[in-house]
Each structure stands twice: as structure tokens, then as C-alpha cells.
Amino acid sequence: MSEPDRSAEALVRSLYAEHGRSLLAYATRLTGDQTAAEDVVQETLLRAWKHAGDLVEGKGSVRGWLLTVARNIVTDRARARAVRPAEVGEVEDHPPVERDHSDSVVNSMVVLDALDQVTPEHREVLVELYYRGRTVTEAAQELGLPPGTVKSRSYYALRALRSVLGGAGAEVAR
Amino acid sequence: MSTNDAGHDRSQLGAYALGALEPDEAREVELHLAGCAECRTEVAELEEMKQFLDEIPPEAFLDGPPADGDLLLQRTLRAAREAAVEPATVAPAASMPPRRSRWLLAAAAAVVVAGALGGGVVIGRQSVDQAVYEETPAGSKQATATDAVTGTTMATTVQPRGSWSWVVVDLKGLKTGAECQLLVTDTSGKTWVAGSWVVSERAARDGARFSGGVLVPPDRVGSVEIRTVQGERVVTTQL
């Protein structure tokens, strides 16, 4: 096996182990189709390998980069199908792309990056309360913390995020 | 800052802004907010953060590999191996300075290859620049060319479909009303028609994508050409 083969393999393996689940879940929601989602994940990882330099030297979040690329692939494919008539050799059919995060691909990188700068303790509280939709009581149970700690951490997490991101619209260009 | 009802219990405000308090706690906070401009401002600032948090899909917080095994990993690795073979045949990475990790080297080598070819090589009457590292489905081959005579630009992608190929061309600078054929010449010199069409006004103005299939394996596709039905050459890409 040649040098590039081995190196590509190592990168793809490590990205898959760390981000595979996140990518596949995201792609599955966007495409609504397991097979299409797997194609998107494969394509995303291959692009990561081709852009390995940016990925490592850039300061941004690797997860954010991968999710953004996956999203772009889904959007591009949906767009390509919308413009041209049905073609021979293309039998897959996909539902339209969900629009919820459609124009926020850059923003999600910025925010994930900001969240990377918040301490892990603060971050996990935000994830529980906001992204997993848990109440303070539920999150306290989940994380094994007193409810008071969950509350104060959620406050300081939001303050910390604000100090990284600035006020609304400050640094995030739409 | 105090924790009694009359004071500013700021530690409640974060959870309140995130909608994570129990109903009775939320009501307490609202009672306090009704009479406290300072805390209302604070809550407004915290709530602003939600619009940032909304930018991130919830899936971003899942960790680890997919739950259902590594079939997808194996498939991706095969595709990566195939892709890794291509640049090596075009330009050896020997000139790369030894730096960074090994896989970074591979990526850098890829950039050098693209850079070296990106400038374009004049072959016959056209400028050909092959972008080896364009982003396309695994195993695809790409080439672009601009014809010096007609000024038509063509970006060709040959996608593998098992023993045959799906050829996609993006064309700019076609003439309205031209009757075009998409021709694929295999490495033995045989020419196949992958489709024909008339250029619409819009396609001439905005550019157009056309595609067709040929019973030629991807590795045997030699060139992809646009020619009018009348036999005039429009543009050719060499694969």
C-alpha cells in the first residue's frame, strides 16, 4: 500500500470514529433516506481527506466543517435534480431538502466554534437544556449534578457564549 | 446577587431563557421580571443567544461512530483508496518538502498536482486543464477545456456506472439554435453518441448541463466532445 493510501485511510478512520454518528444522523434527517445519507457521509469524508490541510490548520471546528460539507452535498444534489429532467442511470429518489438550516451553514461553523471555546461543563449543560430539550430537573439527573448547579452553569454558559460571539448579529454575517 | 424572591436571582435566568425551568419556577421568574428592568435586559441578552444556538443542528452533539457497524467505513475506505491512486499516476509527490503529518503530505501533494495542471496546457487548438481533485462522486473523472476557436467552455465529468459511464457536461458559450451532439471516443478510437439536442436561448445565455450514458467503461473513455450535427467541432475534453 502506498503512502497516500495509508494516510487517507488513517484520516478517514479517525473522522469516522469521532464524527460518523453525528454526520450520518444529520444526513439521514436531511435526505430522509438511509442509503442516500450513507452516500453523503462517504462523500463528506472523501472531501475531508482531499482538504485535509484546511481541516487541520484552520482554527474552526472539524465537526462544523463536516456537517457543513454534508449539508452542501445534500443541497447540491437536490438542486441538480430539480434543474434537470430525470436521467437514465439515476434511479434514486430523494425528498426535498429540509429548509430549517438551509442558509446557516457558515453560521453553524461559527457557533460550533464558539461552543468549543466554552468549557466542557458549560457546554454539556447547554446541550442538555437546549438541544436535547431537557428541563433543569431532567438534566440534573442525567448529568448527576444538583439542579442549582445546572441552573448556574446554564447562566454562565450563555454569558460565556455571548462574550465569544458578541451580541445578536455582531459577528455572524448572514 | 441573592437567591431570595425579592432579589435578582440571575442563576435562574439562563435556564429561564432556555425554557428549562419547571412551570412554577418560571412563574416566579416572570413575577420578578415584571418589576425588574435590569433582569429583563439580562434575559433579553441571554435569549439572543438562542438564535445562535439555533444555527446548530442537534445532531452536531452526537459522538462516536455510527451505531450500525463499519460497513460504511469500509465502503468509504475503498473509495479513498481508489481516489488515492489517481494523483500518483499524474505527478509523483517526491518534490514535497517533508513536513507535517503523513496524511497532510498526501493532501499537500494533491494540491500541488492540481496547481501544476491548473495553469492549463495548450494541446492543439485548445487549452486543457484537468482538475484531478474536483469534488465529484467517488471514481469519477473530470476534465475541462475552452475551445480557442468557438470560445465554448466545457467541464466534463465521467461517472462510473459499473461497466458503462454516465457523462455529464457543463457548457458555456454555445450558440442558440445549434444542433449539438455529445460524443464519447473510447481508447480504441471508436466514437459513441451519448445524446443530441438543440441549444435553447437560455442555455446559450446562462450555460447548460447535458448528460448521457455510453457503454464504455470509465477507464476506457478517451475524450468527450461536443460537435454539431452538421459536423462542426465545438469543444473537446481529453480524459
Side-chain angles (χ1 to χ4, degrees), chain B residues 113-181:
Chain B
V113 169
L117 296 173
V121 202
V122 177
I123 299 176
R125 65 183 206 147
Q126 62 207 357
S127 152
V128 176
D129 42 354
Q130 274 173 294
V132 179
Y133 265 74
E134 287 274 320
E135 292 157 354
T136 45
S140 296
K141 285 165 50 175
Q142 286 201 320
T144 60
T146 302
D147 191 281
V149 176
T150 63
T152 304
T153 296
M154 176 183 194
T156 303
T157 305
V158 177
Q159 299 173 8
R161 290 282 194 277
S163 59
W164 57 288
S165 304
W166 187 249
V167 179
V168 182
V169 293
D170 285 301
L171 294 158
K172 276 198 179 135
L174 290 172
K175 288 201 189 88
T176 307
E179 297 174 318
C180 292
Q181 288 179 298

Side-chain angles (χ1 to χ4, degrees), chain A residues 29 87 104 137 151 159, chain B residues 22 25 42 55 59 211:
Chain A
R29 176 164 63 84
E87 291 173 335
S104 61
T137 317
K151 286 183 197 170
R159 298 290 339 165
Chain B
E22 301 299 330
E25 290 176 310
E42 175 100 51
E55 304 293 348
E59 292 88 352
S211 40

Side-chain angles (χ1 to χ4, degrees), chain A residues 53-155:
Chain A
D54 301 343
L55 211 51
V56 175
E57 288 175 15
K59 306 162 287 297
S61 147
V62 171
R63 177 77 54 97
W65 191 94
L66 292 170
L67 293 173
T68 302
V69 168
R71 215 233 117 77
N72 289 346
I73 291 170
V74 172
T75 315
D76 289 350
R77 290 184 177 183
R79 201 175 288 145
R81 266 186 302 280
V83 221
R84 57 179 200 259
E87 291 173 335
V88 189
E90 256 186 294
V91 285
E92 331 94 287
D93 194 51
H94 303 253
V97 177
E98 256 183 69
R99 307 311 306 180
D100 56 348
H101 299 287
S102 57
D103 48 14
S104 61
V105 285
V106 174
N107 292 3
S108 68
M109 284 181 75
V110 173
V111 181
L112 267 178
D113 206 25
L115 279 175
D116 278 350
Q117 295 174 50
V118 171
T119 65
E121 291 78 14
H122 287 159
R123 183 187 155 109
E124 73 178 2
V125 166
L126 276 185
V127 169
E128 291 298 322
L129 295 189
Y130 199 64
Y131 296 103
R132 307 217 161 115
R134 297 208 161 104
T135 64
V136 169
T137 317
E138 292 164 342
Q141 224 155 24
E142 183 67 28
L143 299 171
L145 295 168
T149 307
V150 171
K151 286 183 197 170
S152 59
R153 281 186 188 173
S154 68
Y155 173 74

Side-chain angles (χ1 to χ4, degrees), chain B:
Chain B
M1 186 156 60
S2 96
T3 52
N4 66 52
D5 287 351
H8 312 285
D9 186 1
R10 288 206 163 80
S11 74
Q12 298 267 57
L13 298 184
Y16 175 78
L18 294 172
L21 289 180
E22 301 299 330
D24 54 329
E25 290 176 310
R27 266 193 303 278
E28 266 178 45
V29 172
E30 274 155 16
L31 274 175
H32 174 75
L33 288 178
C36 179
E38 199 183 321
C39 282
R40 279 202 301 274
T41 307
E42 175 100 51
V43 166
E45 285 181 6
L46 297 176
E47 284 182 335
E48 274 182 6
M49 291 302 105
K50 287 202 288 188
Q51 80 181 67
F52 290 121
L53 294 174
D54 279 341
E55 304 293 348
I56 305 180
E59 292 88 352
F61 300 101
L62 298 172
D63 287 313
D68 49 356
D70 68 349
L71 276 179
L72 175 55
L73 173 64
Q74 297 309 332
R75 193 149 64 86
T76 306
L77 287 174
R78 275 197 300 277
R81 282 182 205 124
E82 282 167 24
V85 174
E86 284 176 42
T89 62
V90 181
S95 60
M96 287 305 303
R99 62 194 171 102
R100 303 196 207 111
S101 68
R102 288 180 172 180
W103 55 268
L104 266 179
L105 267 181
V111 171
V112 168
V113 169
L117 296 173
V121 202
V122 177
I123 299 176
R125 65 183 206 147
Q126 62 207 357
S127 152
V128 176
D129 42 354
Q130 274 173 294
V132 179
Y133 265 74
E134 287 274 320
E135 292 157 354
T136 45
S140 296
K141 285 165 50 175
Q142 286 201 320
T144 60
T146 302
D147 191 281
V149 176
T150 63
T152 304
T153 296
M154 176 183 194
T156 303
T157 305
V158 177
Q159 299 173 8
R161 290 282 194 277
S163 59
W164 57 288
S165 304
W166 187 249
V167 179
V168 182
V169 293
D170 285 301
L171 294 158
K172 276 198 179 135
L174 290 172
K175 288 201 189 88
T176 307
E179 297 174 318
C180 292
Q181 288 179 298
L182 175 60
L183 303 176
V184 174
T185 304
D186 66 26
T187 45
S188 74
K190 183 175 177 191
T191 298
W192 307 65
V193 179
S196 52
W197 78 104
V198 179
V199 177
S200 69
E201 196 176 323
R202 189 176 155 206
R205 185 182 65 234
D206 301 337
R209 167 170 288 194
F210 191 76
S211 40
V214 281
L215 194 49
V216 177
D219 58 345
R220 310 233 339 129
V221 171
S223 66
V224 176
E225 177 181 5
I226 303 300
R227 193 180 283 212
T228 66
V229 173
Q230 292 74 25
E232 295 154 349
R233 296 172 63 175
V234 179
V235 59
T236 306
T237 46
Q238 304 291 338
L239 269 302

